[in-house]
């Protein structure tokens, strides 16, 4: 019998020459010249400059990264070893996955108790409870956790100023369930600095430190302190600002905890950090990796030994961003949550909370909670995101972005420390001012759709049926950092238009003065239709037209006083002045043109185009149409 020969190795790239950076530049330049974005005489590396973008931290994101970009970066180390950029555990999440943590904030004790059990039976690993104030009563904790195996499912508390009472209630629950202090797991959620950020009222850190010192001695697996960075994100802040504030708060807690007699390593082991995860998946990945590096540097500078480094490593809880959630077309929030969860998982978060898609509307229903749970389950069990240790590690882009973000955040952290620390900066308004500046820059990008919002500023459905949910109990917020949502300005315009419909029985409309056949005007008519729909304004498209008389007759039948010309540049040159004059004579109070601004036409009152201030166009149009302010 003849021995079978080894099959030849199949190399898919064998017939292709190695690509070079100069070839890439030449190809990109060719495409950009065809689009007019690059002049014929522009020299390279213009393509990289034209395709680059900048984050709200001033970090340039280039279109291509090579090994040369990562050659000079500091080592990210190995998983489970300092500086923990690649994760706290050598095995990553391969063996156990991440902790799927579900938040409950409703005030109904019985309903919350049922929902908690349902979540834990269907994929959740831990429970996050909002207590005190207008939420669940602190003394109802035992009723809420009656059906929970608290020795298996960690309980995380969020009781604001009532954290000490809530902690005692949880300790009582452990005792009632015969859970030994050495086996009790969870997080007590003391965060007086975060409370200061949320309410504007300065809190004494010492009682929280005293509680942590006591808990550390009696309940070694419990964490007492949470550094909640969500208030900085929810105020519109940047990733570096969120990181810097969290590290500054962590340092403040280290000082207070060590003053109570804990070692730095024991103090660090008492702290859990909470970060926002957004649909900007690579920034989320880099932020979590940078956060671990920053905290490792703090611990190293504070004297933590190599032997204790792993115990002091940053424990991370990632929560999908509230700021990115929309109340309009909320189904898109499922996609946003999926991207955010992916980024958090790939970034190495220890625990992840995916907020239900209706979380911005009110109390989530069972379906929304199930989808949120299943997002983590599918990414972990079916997409196998946890099946690779540090899946983003080694990416030249991610490693460079991690380094850039860490350095930027460290400078911001140093500025906070130089000003007296996190509490002093919150009290003086220094942090609030910097967050406000970032939010204003973000608002401008949202208004011009440089930062697009699917279902809100792009591809909106103005005739959608809004979801109805029972309202959440109001939070005790008498001051502190503001809370914003990226879609809020567009949603206010939609609310204004809907109020007009409710009052008058008809939706505000804009007439699209389409010039020529459908093929000639459809691109700009579609652009204009989507733009006006973002403000709840119905576009009236008459279709193909042959003459000015056709356009005029359709306008009169539309029963509106605002028109927008849609056609080719050639059609504008031939007809814009005549059509605009006819429309104004027929009663149009405003005549817009879909195209770049120019002084070439008479009678045009404004322009809609890529990069225009969409919010201003929509607000002005509603004013012109006589739509009242809400």
């Amino acid at each position: 019998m003849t021995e079978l020969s080894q099959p030849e190795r199949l190399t898919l790239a064998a017939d292709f020459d190695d690509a070079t950076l100069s070839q890439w530049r030449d190809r990109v330049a060719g495409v950009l010249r065809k689009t007019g974005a690059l002049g014929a005489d522009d020299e390279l590396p213009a393509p990289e400059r034209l395709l680059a973008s900048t984050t709200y931290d001033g970090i340039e994101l280039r279109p291509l990264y090579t090994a040369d970009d990562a050659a000079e970066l500091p080592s990210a180390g190995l998983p489970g070893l300092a500086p923990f950029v690649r994760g706290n555990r050598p095995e990553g999440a391969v063996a156990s996955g991440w902790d799927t943590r579900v938040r409950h904030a409703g005030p109904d004790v019985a309903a919350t108790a049922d929902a908690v059990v349902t979540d834990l039976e269907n994929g959740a690993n831990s429970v996050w409870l909002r207590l005190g104030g207008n939420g669940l009563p602190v003394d109802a904790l035992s009723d809420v956790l009656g059906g929970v195996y608290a020795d298996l499912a960690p309980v995380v508390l969020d009781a604001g100023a009532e954290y000490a009472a809530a902690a005692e209630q949880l300790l009582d629950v452990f005792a009632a369930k015969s859970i030994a202090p050495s086996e009790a797991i969870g997080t007590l959620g003391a965060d007086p600095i975060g409370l200061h950020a949320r309410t504007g009222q300065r809190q004494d850190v010492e009682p929280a430190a005293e509680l942590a010192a006591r808990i550390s001695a009696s309940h070694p697996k419990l964490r007492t302190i949470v550094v909640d960075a969500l208030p900085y994100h929810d105020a519109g802040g940047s990733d570096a600002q969120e990181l810097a504030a969290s590290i500054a708060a962590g340092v403040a807690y280290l000082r207070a905890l060590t003053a109570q007699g804990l070692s730095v390593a024991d103090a660090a082991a008492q702290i859990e950090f909470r970060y926002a995860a957004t649909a900007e998946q690579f920034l989320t990945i880099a932020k979590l990796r940078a956060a671990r590096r920053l905290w490792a540097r703090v611990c190293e500078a504070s004297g933590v030994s190599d032997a204790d480094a792993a115990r002091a490593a940053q424990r991370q809880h990632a929560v999908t961003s509230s700021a990115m959630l929309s109340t309009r077309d909320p189904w898109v929030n499922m996609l946003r949550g999926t991207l955010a969860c992916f980024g958090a998982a790939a970034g190495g978060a220890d625990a992840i909370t995916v907020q239900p898609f209706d979380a911005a509307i009110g109390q989530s229903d069972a379906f929304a909670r199930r989808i949120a749970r299943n997002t983590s389950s599918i990414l972990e069990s079916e997409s196998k995101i946890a099946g690779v240790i540090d899946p983003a590690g080694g990416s030249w882009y991610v490693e460079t972005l991690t380094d850039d973000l860490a350095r930027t955040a460290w400078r911001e952290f140093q500025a906070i420390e130089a000003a007296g620390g996190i509490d002093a900066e919150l009290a003086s308004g220094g942090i609030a001012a910097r967050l406000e500046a970032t939010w204003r820059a973000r608002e401008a990008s949202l208004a011009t759709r440089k930062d697009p919002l699917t279902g809100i500023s792009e591809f909106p459905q103005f005739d959608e049926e809004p979801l109805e949910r029972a309202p959440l109990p109001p939070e005790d917020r008498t001051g502190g950092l503001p809370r914003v949502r990226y879609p809020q300005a567009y949603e206010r315009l939609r609310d204004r238009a809907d109020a007009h419909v409710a009052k008058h029985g008809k939706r505000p409309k804009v007439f699209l003065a389409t010039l020529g056949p459908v093929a000639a005007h459809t691109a700009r008519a579609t652009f204009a239709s989507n733009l006006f729909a973002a403000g709840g304004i119905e576009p009236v498209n008459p279709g193909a037209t042959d003459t000015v008389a056709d356009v005029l007759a359709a306008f009169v039948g539309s029963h509106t006083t605002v028109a927008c010309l849609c056609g080719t540049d050639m059609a504008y040159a031939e007809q814009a002045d005549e059509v605009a004059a006819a429309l104004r004579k027929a009663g149009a109070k405003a005549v817009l043109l879909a195209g770049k601004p120019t002084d070439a036409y008479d009678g045009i009152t404004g322009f809609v185009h890529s990069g225009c201030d969409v919010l201003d166009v929509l607000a002005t149009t509603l004013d012109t149409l006589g739509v009242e302010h809400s």
Side-chain angles (χ1 to χ4, degrees), residues 382-393:
E382 296 186 22
S383 298
K384 301 296 183 184
I385 304 302
V388 178
I389 301 172
D390 185 27

Side-chain angles (χ1 to χ4, degrees), residues 76 210 250 284 317 427 452:
E210 292 174 350
T284 296
H317 173 203

Side-chain angles (χ1 to χ4, degrees), residues 329-399:
D329 203 357
W331 312 101
V332 182
N333 291 332
M334 295 185 194
L335 304 180
R336 298 183 180 108
T338 300
L339 286 169
C341 184
F342 172 87
D350 300 287
I352 301 175
T353 297
V354 177
Q355 296 204 66
F357 71 90
D358 57 357
I361 300 173
Q363 295 185 42
S364 298
D365 65 7
F367 173 73
R369 290 196 301 272
R370 176 184 170 222
I371 292 297
R373 287 194 312 268
N374 287 353
T375 299
S376 263
S377 297
I378 291 171
L379 287 175
E380 180 180 333
S381 301
E382 296 186 22
S383 298
K384 301 296 183 184
I385 304 302
V388 178
I389 301 172
D390 185 27
S395 160
W396 300 320
Y397 171 42
V398 171
E399 299 293 359

Side-chain angles (χ1 to χ4, degrees), residues 167-168 171 174 179-185 188 210-224 262 270:
E168 295 302 330
L171 295 179
F174 291 145
I179 299 172
S182 61
E183 299 303 314
I185 52 178
L188 301 182
E210 292 174 350
L211 175 64
R214 177 164 64 89
I215 291 299
S216 177
S218 61
H219 294 72
K221 294 183 181 180
L222 273 181
R223 292 175 187 261
T224 304
L262 293 179
Q270 279 291 304

Side-chain angles (χ1 to χ4, degrees), residues 518-545:
V518 171
H521 65 244
T522 189
R524 280 174 167 158
T526 300
F527 173 87
S529 294
N530 279 314
L531 186 148
F532 288 115
I537 303 169
E538 180 182 351
V540 179
N541 188 333
T545 61

Side-chain angles (χ1 to χ4, degrees), residues 292-571:
R292 291 192 294 271
R293 174 178 161 187
L294 293 168
W295 187 243
R297 178 69 186 104
V298 166
C299 291
E300 178 188 33
S302 300
V304 173
S305 66
D306 291 343
D308 288 333
R311 187 157 55 93
Q314 189 182 78
R315 167 95 180 166
Q316 294 178 335
H317 173 203
V319 183
T320 58
S321 165
S322 294
M324 72 179 180
L325 295 180
S326 64
T327 60
R328 298 287 181 154
D329 203 357
W331 312 101
V332 182
N333 291 332
M334 295 185 194
L335 304 180
R336 298 183 180 108
T338 300
L339 286 169
C341 184
F342 172 87
D350 300 287
I352 301 175
T353 297
V354 177
Q355 296 204 66
F357 71 90
D358 57 357
I361 300 173
Q363 295 185 42
S364 298
D365 65 7
F367 173 73
R369 290 196 301 272
R370 176 184 170 222
I371 292 297
R373 287 194 312 268
N374 287 353
T375 299
S376 263
S377 297
I378 291 171
L379 287 175
E380 180 180 333
S381 301
E382 296 186 22
S383 298
K384 301 296 183 184
I385 304 302
V388 178
I389 301 172
D390 185 27
S395 160
W396 300 320
Y397 171 42
V398 171
E399 299 293 359
T400 303
L401 184 56
T402 298
D403 184 67
D404 288 343
L405 195 51
R407 291 179 184 277
T408 304
W410 188 259
R411 289 193 294 271
E412 175 73 9
F413 160 67
Q414 289 178 312
I416 294 173
E417 288 294 287
I422 186 71
D423 264 330
E425 277 283 76
L426 285 169
S428 71
I431 285 180
R434 293 193 292 277
L435 294 173
E436 171 73 8
T438 302
W439 171 237
R440 293 305 172 201
R442 196 186 297 274
E443 276 190 312
S445 294
L446 292 165
T448 58
R449 299 195 293 188
K450 180 181 178 182
D451 289 352
L453 299 170
T454 302
I456 304 296
S457 64
E458 300 277 8
F459 313 112
Q461 300 182 64
F462 64 80
D463 57 349
E464 66 173 311
E465 289 292 329
L467 288 184
E468 299 291 339
R469 294 288 186 269
L472 284 168
E475 294 188 33
D476 298 326
R477 296 181 63 89
T478 56
L481 298 175
R483 292 187 67 177
V484 300
R485 286 186 304 105
Y486 305 153
Q488 65 188 28
Y490 288 95
E491 291 174 348
R492 283 196 292 266
L493 293 173
R494 295 278 291 276
D495 291 343
R496 185 179 166 191
D498 286 356
H500 180 86
V501 176
K503 183 175 181 179
H504 299 283
K506 57 182 179 180
R507 182 165 292 282
K509 299 177 181 180
V510 166
F511 174 74
L512 303 184
T514 51
L515 307 181
V518 171
H521 65 244
T522 189
R524 280 174 167 158
T526 300
F527 173 87
S529 294
N530 279 314
L531 186 148
F532 288 115
I537 303 169
E538 180 182 351
V540 179
N541 188 333
T545 61
D546 292 324
T547 65
V548 175
D550 291 341
V551 176
L552 199 60
F555 170 72
V556 172
S558 69
H559 303 292
T560 185
T561 57
V562 176
C564 179
L565 272 63
C566 301
T568 63
D569 290 341
M570 182 179 296

